[in-house]
Amino acid sequence: MSPTARGFPHEIDLMAFPSDPGAMYRRWMEQEAEHMFYHGYDNYMNHAFPDDELRPLSCKPLTRDRLNPSHIELNDALGNYSLTLIDSLTTLAILASGSTRKKNKALDYFQENVIALVGLYGDGTDGKMGLGSRGRGFDSDSKVQVFEMVIRGVGGLLSAHLFAIGELPIRGYEPYRTSNGSKQKAQFKGEVVWSPTFTYDGQLLRLAHDLGKRLLPAFYTATGLPYPRVNLRHGVPFYPNSPFNNDAERGQCQTTPQPSGELTETCSAGAGSLVLEFITLSRLTGDSRFEQLGKRAFWSVWERRSNIGLIGSGIDAESGLWTSPFTGIGAGIDSFFEYAAKAYILLSGSPRPIISTSSPPVIISPLVQEDQQSAESFLQVWHDSHAAIKRHLYRGSMYIHPHYIQADLYTGAARAFWMDSLSAFFPGLLTLTGDLEEAVESHLLFTALWTRYSALPERWSTASGSIEGGLGWWGGRPEFIESTYHLYRATRDPWYLHVGEMVLRDIKRRCWTRCGWSGIQDVRSGERNDRMESFFLGETIKYLFLLFDPDHPFNTLDAPFVFNTEGHPLIIPRSSNANPHPKRPKEPPVKQSLDSPPTCPLPPSMIPFSISATATRPDLFHAANLARLHYMPNPSNIESPLIEFSSDHPSISLSDLVSPSNYTYYPWTLSPSLIPHNATCSKIAARPTFDITFPAHPSMILGPGILQRVGNGILVNSMGGLRLGMIQDVSGSTGAGGDGDFYRVQAINNIALGKDEKIFLAKDVVSSVVNPQDPNFTRVRDNTMLDLVIDIASPSPSAPHPTPPATLNSTSLSSSKRLALSSLLPLLTSLIHSPPPSSPLPPNRIYLPAITPTGPGAIPLPDDIEEALGPDASGSPQGPLLWHTIYIADTLCDGPLPTHIPATHQIIIAQRGGCSFSRKLDNIPAFPPGKTSLRLVVVVSFEEEEAGDGVPEGWMIRPLLERVQGGGEGLVRREGVAMVMIGGGRESWDLLSRAVGVGVKRRWSVLAQGVPISNLIII
């Protein structure tokens, strides 16, 4: 007889793990998770089935609040269709693959409850068998939320169907077809005999189709965004603008729709997170409406993103306008990002959809565009979304530990500093998309928070270190456990197993009741609520179970399957929606972001003599510090409802009563006073911040008019009383051959600014206030870079209007467009509108970045250039350009120019290359200086020369004038010739050939304590 280990949920044979104690630990925890599921599931079946959910404290069913229809927190999800059972079917199927006992209890329960579900709601057909004891399908007079019905109802039924026909694996379950008597793997429309009285032939799929069709009326809107709610029996009668509410008697729409109190506001997650379920439903049934409407809703959200690439939370389904200017990664937005990445996985390798001609009687929009059908298009949405999140919502290590904030949708400015429990999904998504380092660091903070509260509060503030707005409940949400599961699968780091154990122990200690598992109303006091959400069995315990079973078929399945946002696995069977022309259409290439690796990275390497790369991270205690983990209480007694049950229950041990993770789990529990300064973590980075305040003199303008919002920032009309909040958090080139951190104005007079917003100051406004000796605000002229100003003649009003060359900086000109990124004036001219055209039309003014030369032959620019060639503070041009006679000279390498050229032309244009820069200037003959003679030589660099410099794309090397300038006859030139170089190649050359005026605009910048301010521009 082999020895056994006691204290486990069941006695475990130790001889089964002779050399792998970790395997015994995982098996133990796996069985703990399994028994947690059955404790909740059995009590639901005993006390609540066939109603939607269970009240675990009162041991009664939880149903819709029909007396209070506005109780949407309850009624949105509870549609009176046995919600917990549908959500639990896939968990039973997954547990069935982990069972090692001869009798597969989970598989038996799975099949028995599919049979029970069919008995309640019918088999989905139109005949007698389609009528169940509770009705025909989901014909229920219940107004529910579309999003909840899709992810829980449709998703759960589809996933259970895929398990039933063998497309998703259950260990030891081999369905066979019997329609022709041969043994063949079941496919849709096949038959699988489960018992002498029941044959599975797609009942769950037909029920999913029935539920899906009842949701379709919500999708027919002018915007493509679905209405948030629908009545499962009557459709959308409460939305008077819906095309389904036409005046049927007269055959036309109501001219004056009756007012309705029903909100038409949905959210990005609610509208954009339907594609996985609807794609699968269309591919399995051949009804293409679902896939097209689900994709249309997704793209309708994405097409309304702001100019900085962010999407908001609330959006109106009828107008398509954002209802809130806030954005983040959590509630209302979260699963949109998740479905962008997972749609790419689900669609990978599958053919384009076959569009059927069947459709509802009302079609008010075209199908999804061809370029929005492909898997790659969804992947690009994820890349673009992630880039915008990293730019505007992500706060790096200089904010103690990396985390994400709430920001303004349009500017990216910080608006709030809380994080919610829903955003704990993001580390798992980052893991799936290969952004492993960001996933690990963000997961650390959630781990520290769970350790502090023994749960995740609904909303917690990184600024105050406390629960935000009293939102301290935890309803059994799965997002943190889901991310823990994905990170362990990617890293195999035992740290995540211990995190999973911490979660499991805390749930057992705080949420156990005699009739199931409760939510926690306040994570600080331990007060519980009387509801076991269906997703607790459908997701939370499912991910815990998979975390501790590395050999589960789902952990080794090599196929494009995904978990939907309710934890239901989905896959498109290769046999579904077969294309008669199997050759895939050529997909458009997906452009890769610079920070997006083409392959998933390897797990972090281990430090010698350690077993966890995460536990030895140098920033481990940074997360603990930000979470204020040292405030965690030290309990002096045992407080758990399990105490009353532990004496006679075999699965309860002392470790369940006092969480070993929260109070003895090194290194989280050490307070900062007990940690040496040179211990296991690196020093927490400090971000330099300070304020600059300008005094208000008696003659200055004060009031709200001193600040004027323009397209991409704020124009300052007066410095009196101005306060600038500075922070050093922007990396960039210092202009001196290296990189450094710039200061950034993060707030002006308590107005928060986004990372890409600018502050515009007129030079005369700055000069009247700023002390030139002030080290905190020093105005500096850029002696290297400037702007070459070009006037191009405008076409006459009666002539055809070609594309104006003034749009150079926003066209497809390759080099000029790249160089324009470094130009300050093109940015400003795009913000401030020019005066209305008059007759004759003024010339189009263009600003091209230019670089000055260096070396013995370089001389300063002419003294008579005006610095006020750009717009003034009000946006008006400041006079004509000074130089109007222009000579095009090719390369200036073929010998001296005629003597009259420099004497009669103020500007000479030459191509780069062919000879040295000094040789070009030597070929310009001596000339008498004057206002009408040569003032400036402009050298145009072409693509081939720029590529040969070996510098990053879009940059230029300063021209070298290696010797003192000559006069063409071997003599030293008494009056040197000023020179600048621009990029842009042929496009810039053509513009200069058509120029009617040329000038120079100097650049000015401001230094704070010797460091450049990146977003402050002097005009």
Side-chain angles (χ1 to χ4, degrees):
M1 181 176 179
S2 61
T4 59
R6 298 187 178 274
F8 294 91
H10 290 283
E11 294 184 352
I12 295 179
D13 186 359
L14 296 180
M15 298 303 293
F17 313 98
S19 60
D20 188 0
M24 182 177 68
Y25 164 79
R26 291 191 299 270
R27 177 65 60 82
W28 171 30
M29 298 308 301
E30 175 191 341
Q31 292 192 10
E32 289 260 20
E34 182 179 2
H35 280 266
M36 285 180 65
F37 171 82
Y38 283 124
H39 178 66
Y41 171 79
D42 289 340
N43 276 286
Y44 163 76
M45 296 301 293
N46 292 332
H47 299 290
F49 178 77
D51 289 312
D52 284 319
E53 288 184 346
L54 167 69
R55 295 183 182 271
L57 296 178
S58 55
C59 302
K60 296 179 180 178
L62 180 65
T63 60
R64 293 177 57 81
D65 189 353
R66 296 194 178 274
L67 298 179
N68 182 15
S70 63
H71 189 185
I72 58 177
E73 294 84 0
L74 194 67
N75 294 337
D76 272 356
L78 306 189
N80 195 30
Y81 64 104
S82 308
L83 174 61
T84 297
L85 177 62
I86 292 177
D87 248 353
S88 299
L89 287 176
T90 57
T91 307
L92 284 168
I94 285 177
L95 292 179
S97 292
S99 175
T100 58
R101 292 177 291 277
K102 292 183 179 180
K103 182 174 177 59
N104 195 330
K105 173 183 176 182
L107 180 58
D108 291 344
Y109 276 10
F110 173 77
Q111 294 178 333
E112 290 170 6
N113 286 296
V114 169
I115 297 172
L117 195 69
V118 172
L120 291 171
Y121 304 103
D123 68 355
T125 62
D126 295 330
K128 179 180 178 181
M129 298 302 295
L131 182 63
S133 61
R134 303 194 87 190
R136 184 176 293 277
F138 295 96
D139 181 26
S140 173
D141 187 12
S142 300
K143 184 171 70 175
V144 292
Q145 190 184 77
V146 173
F147 171 68
E148 295 291 353
M149 290 302 99
V150 171
I151 65 171
R152 300 194 197 199
V154 176
L157 291 167
L158 288 175
S159 184
H161 167 73
L162 291 168
F163 277 111
I165 64 174
E167 292 290 346
L168 291 173
I170 299 177
R171 184 179 289 134
Y173 173 64
E174 297 180 355
Y176 293 96
R177 298 182 62 173
T178 60
S179 56
N180 58 5
S182 63
K183 292 186 175 182
Q184 183 179 352
K185 188 172 182 179
Q187 296 177 349
F188 177 55
K189 296 183 179 178
E191 297 177 350
V192 186
V193 176
W194 281 0
S195 72
T197 59
F198 185 85
T199 297
Y200 184 80
D201 61 359
Q203 291 92 331
L204 295 178
L205 176 60
R206 293 194 292 272
L207 287 173
H209 196 199
D210 173 78
L211 180 56
K213 288 186 291 185
R214 296 178 185 277
L215 303 177
L216 284 181
F219 285 81
Y220 294 95
T221 63
T223 61
L225 301 165
Y227 285 117
R229 293 174 181 85
V230 66
N231 186 289
L232 293 177
R233 176 174 294 167
H234 302 296
V236 288
F238 33 79
Y239 295 121
N241 293 327
S242 168
F244 286 96
N245 296 324
N246 292 351
D247 187 347
E249 184 177 346
R250 295 176 176 83
Q252 56 184 329
C253 298
Q254 300 175 3
T255 56
T256 56
Q258 297 298 317
S260 170
E262 188 69 26
L263 294 176
T264 56
E265 178 185 355
T266 183
C267 62
S268 295
S273 306
L274 313 171
V275 288
L276 299 183
E277 297 83 0
F278 273 16
I279 288 172
T280 306
L281 182 58
S282 284
R283 300 299 178 93
L284 289 173
T285 63
D287 188 343
S288 62
R289 292 175 296 174
F290 300 100
E291 179 169 349
Q292 295 306 306
L293 291 172
K295 287 180 176 178
R296 177 179 178 238
F298 176 91
W299 290 108
S300 295
V301 173
W302 180 242
E303 288 165 356
R304 288 168 171 81
R305 65 191 182 278
S306 68
N307 290 335
I308 59 176
L310 296 173
I311 60 172
S313 175
I315 188 170
D316 188 87
E318 291 187 341
S319 68
L321 300 177
W322 297 110
T323 59
S324 169
F326 280 30
T327 185
I329 63 168
I333 306 176
D334 49 356
S335 54
F336 178 87
F337 305 131
E338 177 187 359
Y339 275 42
K342 289 183 176 179
Y344 168 72
I345 299 172
L346 184 69
L347 291 170
S348 296
S350 73
R352 292 289 182 89
I354 298 175
I355 310 300
S356 67
T357 57
S358 62
S359 62
V362 180
I363 293 292
I364 60 173
S365 67
L367 295 175
V368 178
Q369 298 176 14
E370 182 65 20
D371 62 351
Q372 296 175 340
Q373 299 280 5
S374 68
E376 286 75 11
S377 63
F378 288 92
L379 178 62
Q380 188 60 51
V381 171
W382 161 248
H383 283 314
D384 294 344
S385 299
H386 186 213
I389 290 169
K390 285 296 292 284
R391 176 63 182 167
H392 301 287
L393 307 183
Y394 175 82
R395 285 191 159 193
S397 58
M398 65 178 56
Y399 291 86
I400 302 179
H401 187 79
H403 59 278
Y404 305 89
I405 63 170
Q406 313 299 308
D408 188 277
L409 171 64
Y410 303 101
T411 67
R415 290 290 179 260
F417 303 98
W418 49 262
M419 47 192 288
D420 58 15
S421 61
L422 284 169
S423 60
F425 89 101
F426 203 58
L429 177 59
L430 292 170
T431 304
L432 289 177
T433 58
D435 301 286
L436 194 55
E437 173 60 24
E438 186 182 350
V440 171
E441 65 184 17
S442 58
H443 185 269
L444 269 179
L445 181 57
F446 288 108
T447 303
L449 274 179
W450 186 286
T451 308
R452 178 179 172 185
Y453 291 108
S454 299
L456 279 187
E458 183 69 9
R459 188 179 291 183
W460 180 84
S461 171
T462 58
S464 65
S466 58
I467 291 173
E468 176 86 4
L471 306 180
W473 63 80
W474 181 75
R477 291 197 187 278
E479 287 77 15
F480 176 60
I481 297 94
E482 175 187 3
S483 289
T484 304
Y485 161 69
H486 287 304
L487 274 166
Y488 178 68
R489 297 303 311 158
T491 65
R492 299 301 179 94
D493 191 328
W495 167 278
Y496 299 105
L497 294 177
H498 290 288
V499 171
E501 180 188 0
M502 173 179 69
V503 170
L504 185 148
R505 295 293 182 203
D506 285 337
I507 293 174
K508 292 185 69 173
R509 180 168 57 88
R510 306 191 74 186
C511 302
W512 179 89
T513 73
R514 284 189 176 274
C515 294
W517 303 98
S518 71
I520 303 175
Q521 189 63 32
D522 191 324
V523 297
R524 296 162 295 188
S525 66
E527 177 188 357
R528 294 178 290 168
N529 61 40
D530 196 13
R531 182 179 184 182
M532 186 177 75
E533 298 260 16
S534 70
F535 54 68
F536 182 77
L537 299 181
E539 286 187 90
T540 305
I541 295 182
K542 180 183 297 172
Y543 285 122
L544 273 174
F545 181 82
L546 288 172
L547 171 66
F548 295 112
D549 188 356
D551 299 322
H552 193 280
F554 269 97
N555 291 330
T556 58
L557 181 60
D558 184 14
F561 79 95
V562 295
F563 289 98
N564 81 339
T565 198
E566 190 71 8
H568 299 304
L570 297 172
I571 193 171
I572 299 176
R574 289 294 176 257
S575 59
S576 67
N577 200 12
N579 194 331
H581 306 287
K583 183 178 180 180
R584 289 189 67 193
K586 185 177 180 180
E587 305 284 9
V590 59
K591 47 181 186 175
Q592 292 285 337
S593 304
L594 293 178
D595 58 349
S596 300
T599 58
C600 292
L602 292 172
S605 57
M606 298 288 184
I607 292 179
F609 306 108
S610 71
I611 61 171
S612 170
T614 305
T616 55
R617 286 176 61 93
D619 62 347
L620 183 70
F621 283 99
H622 300 184
N625 183 285
L626 182 58
R628 282 74 162 182
L629 197 54
H630 48 288
Y631 293 159
M632 188 175 67
N634 184 17
S636 57
N637 57 355
I638 297 174
E639 296 180 0
S640 172
L642 282 173
I643 294 175
E644 60 177 289
F645 193 54
S646 60
S647 58
D648 59 351
H649 198 283
S651 70
I652 303 301
S653 64
L654 182 62
S655 62
D656 294 317
L657 306 181
V658 179
S659 170
S661 301
N662 284 18
Y663 304 111
T664 63
Y665 187 38
Y666 179 84
W668 290 114
T669 53
L670 292 182
S671 65
S673 61
L674 299 179
I675 301 172
H677 71 281
N678 58 352
T680 59
C681 75
S682 60
K683 183 179 179 180
I684 295 178
R687 60 189 191 280
T689 60
F690 63 93
D691 288 350
I692 301 176
T693 303
F694 299 93
H697 299 310
S699 61
M700 288 185 173
I701 301 174
L702 297 177
I706 67 172
L707 301 179
Q708 176 185 350
R709 181 166 287 281
V710 290
N712 195 33
I714 294 179
L715 179 66
V716 178
N717 295 315
S718 175
M719 300 285 286
L722 194 69
R723 186 173 76 254
L724 303 178
M726 313 296 297
I727 185 170
Q728 191 172 1
D729 70 345
V730 179
S731 298
S733 173
T734 62
D739 293 335
D741 286 337
F742 290 172
Y743 277 108
R744 175 176 64 89
V745 181
Q746 65 172 341
I748 177 170
N749 285 10
N750 294 326
I751 301 174
L753 299 178
K755 286 186 177 180
D756 292 337
E757 286 194 284
K758 312 295 182 185
I759 300 294
F760 300 100
L761 297 173
K763 183 167 66 70
D764 53 350
V765 171
V766 177
S767 302
S768 64
V769 176
V770 175
N771 182 352
Q773 306 301 321
D774 186 353
N776 290 324
F777 201 86
T778 307
R779 187 169 68 101
V780 178
R781 189 175 75 182
D782 191 335
N783 292 321
T784 302
M785 295 296 297
L786 47 83
D787 291 290
L788 189 71
V789 189
I790 307 173
D791 276 350
I792 306 294
S794 299
S796 62
S798 59
H801 292 277
T803 302
T807 61
L808 170 67
N809 295 307
S810 61
T811 64
S812 60
L813 303 182
S814 56
S815 180
S816 296
K817 181 178 179 180
R818 297 192 303 271
L819 293 172
L821 296 176
S822 65
S823 176
L824 306 180
L825 266 299
L827 174 62
L828 184 58
T829 55
S830 69
L831 304 177
I832 306 175
H833 295 288
S834 300
S838 59
S839 182
L841 293 175
N844 293 313
R845 184 159 291 181
I846 301 170
Y847 298 85
L848 296 177
I851 190 168
T852 58
T854 186
I859 69 166
L861 293 171
D863 295 333
D864 61 348
I865 70 169
E866 289 291 337
E867 297 180 9
L869 293 175
D872 62 14
S874 64
S876 302
Q878 297 191 39
L881 302 181
L882 299 179
W883 306 322
H884 303 281
T885 54
I886 304 169
Y887 180 79
I888 306 297
D890 203 8
T891 62
L892 261 182
C893 295
D894 298 330
L897 292 174
T899 56
H900 71 278
I901 296 297
T904 58
H905 292 83
Q906 296 166 312
I907 302 292
I908 292 179
I909 311 297
Q911 293 185 15
R912 181 183 175 187
C915 61
S916 68
F917 294 106
S918 292
R919 176 69 179 277
K920 294 178 187 292
L921 298 187
D922 288 346
N923 284 332
I924 298 176
F927 58 92
K931 290 188 176 181
T932 60
S933 60
L934 182 61
R935 312 300 290 160
L936 182 68
V937 174
V938 179
V939 177
V940 181
S941 178
F942 283 69
E943 294 285 344
E944 53 270 19
E945 286 86 6
E946 294 169 5
D949 287 336
V951 297
E953 185 179 11
W955 291 64
M956 290 189 297
I957 291 180
R958 294 185 72 180
L960 174 63
L961 298 177
E962 70 274 9
R963 61 178 181 272
V964 177
Q965 292 186 26
E969 292 86 13
L971 302 176
V972 175
R973 192 190 301 272
R974 285 187 60 188
E975 301 261 350
V977 178
M979 188 194 92
V980 297
M981 185 173 74
I982 64 172
R986 177 57 57 186
E987 293 85 357
S988 296
W989 184 268
D990 292 342
L991 287 171
L992 288 167
S993 300
R994 295 185 288 120
V996 296
V998 175
V1000 171
K1001 176 71 175 69
R1002 292 194 185 276
R1003 293 186 180 186
W1004 294 85
S1005 61
V1006 177
L1007 304 182
Q1009 301 176 355
V1011 179
I1013 302 177
S1014 64
N1015 64 335
L1016 198 151
I1017 299 173
I1018 295 180
I1019 59 176

